[in-house]
Amino acid sequence: MQLRAFAEEMEALAPPSLAEEFDAGRIGLVIEGRPEIQKVCCALDSTPAVVRKAVASGADMLVVHHTPLWTPLTTLTGPTATLAREILAGGLNVYVMHTNFDHAAGGVNDALADLLGLADCRPLSLGLVGTCTLTLPEIAERLDGSLRIWGKLLSHRQLGVVAGSGFDLPLMAEAQALGAEAFLSSEMKLSVARAAPLPCIESTHYALESPAMRRLAAQKGWQYIDDPPLLAVYP
């Protein structure tokens, strides 16, 4: 497949028009490699480990959720230069599907809802509210990690979920208005926890967003490269 045809297929799946304003210039093809796409790898982040595995596998394309180029570049030095050198030397294209994939039907938040078996889902401006029949230990098991509970959790049957960093007070108020009894996301700030209108269930950014990229890879027949951050939890 030619590079342009590949990009058009991805844009049909997650239209760029769905992206948040801050993602302008940070989605789509962010690093150009070979023009012909034969093998595709997929990951949440284009970390050095992911890039090396993709290049070693002979991939022409790496599809990720988070761009490796968050800020405009005026110099190319340090870790960014090292990563770019490996990507370019391997002829690897890097394609980013970020907030456009968050908002897309069947995208990041829908994949999380499906993983948790949520039913009767109602959309939020970002994320959704659905009926959850899993216990907290079952949720933790499906997310392959521990959970932190903020506030007094009496019920999470009606659960608001936002994959990634979604502990936002207006968003939680929107979820509460739709009947949510608890809210699941990642990267809680203390000031937000103090003011939250709902008890909150905190997982990790990787645990909440990687299911979508893993599912996308399975649907497309791509190779998924798992690279979770190292995290140790002590009693």
Side-chain angles (χ1 to χ4, degrees):
M1 180 182 290
Q2 291 296 313
L3 183 56
R4 182 63 252 170
F6 182 89
E8 289 174 354
E9 183 178 325
M10 295 302 100
E11 288 174 3
L13 184 66
S17 60
L18 297 179
E20 301 284 349
E21 287 185 10
F22 68 80
D23 257 346
R26 295 180 175 89
I27 60 172
L29 185 67
V30 299
I31 300 179
E32 186 175 349
R34 288 184 286 270
E36 181 72 23
I37 309 301
Q38 296 185 15
K39 180 171 183 178
V40 180
C41 286
C42 183
L44 187 67
D45 303 289
S46 50
T47 62
V50 165
V51 167
R52 290 177 194 131
K53 289 179 181 178
V55 171
S57 74
D60 308 293
M61 172 65 72
L62 175 63
V63 177
V64 294
H65 188 50
H66 298 132
T67 180
L69 305 172
W70 285 108
T71 56
L73 295 175
T74 55
T75 60
L76 193 57
T77 59
T80 302
T82 300
L83 185 66
R85 190 180 305 117
E86 294 194 32
I87 291 171
L88 294 171
L92 191 64
N93 294 278
V94 178
Y95 191 95
V96 175
M97 302 166 66
H98 191 218
T99 53
N100 53 326
F101 199 36
D102 288 335
H103 288 287
V108 175
N109 287 290
D110 286 349
L112 176 59
D114 290 345
L115 178 67
L116 299 178
L118 300 189
D120 303 319
C121 293
R122 291 90 74 194
L124 298 169
S125 54
L126 177 64
L128 49 87
V129 175
T131 302
C132 180
T133 59
L134 299 180
T135 65
L136 289 178
E138 288 170 336
I139 292 175
E141 182 178 4
R142 294 202 183 184
L143 295 176
D144 196 26
S146 61
L147 303 173
R148 294 204 298 179
I149 310 301
W150 297 83
K152 188 174 183 180
L153 182 64
L154 300 177
S155 172
H156 61 277
R157 183 168 178 80
Q158 294 301 313
L159 183 64
V161 298
V162 176
S165 180
F167 286 123
D168 173 77
L169 292 176
L171 198 52
M172 284 189 271
E174 183 185 349
Q176 186 180 46
L178 287 178
E181 300 166 299
F183 195 87
L184 168 68
S185 195
S186 71
E187 298 182 5
M188 174 64 84
K189 293 182 178 180
L190 179 60
S191 59
V192 175
R194 294 290 195 191
L198 294 168
C200 295
I201 305 170
E202 183 182 11
S203 183
T204 68
H205 205 122
Y206 190 89
L208 297 181
E209 290 188 333
S210 59
M213 305 308 288
R214 188 178 291 109
R215 183 169 77 169
L216 177 63
Q219 290 171 342
K220 296 292 185 181
W222 302 340
Q223 178 183 341
Y224 181 74
I225 302 176
D226 199 21
D227 186 33
L230 296 178
L231 176 66
V233 179
Y234 294 95

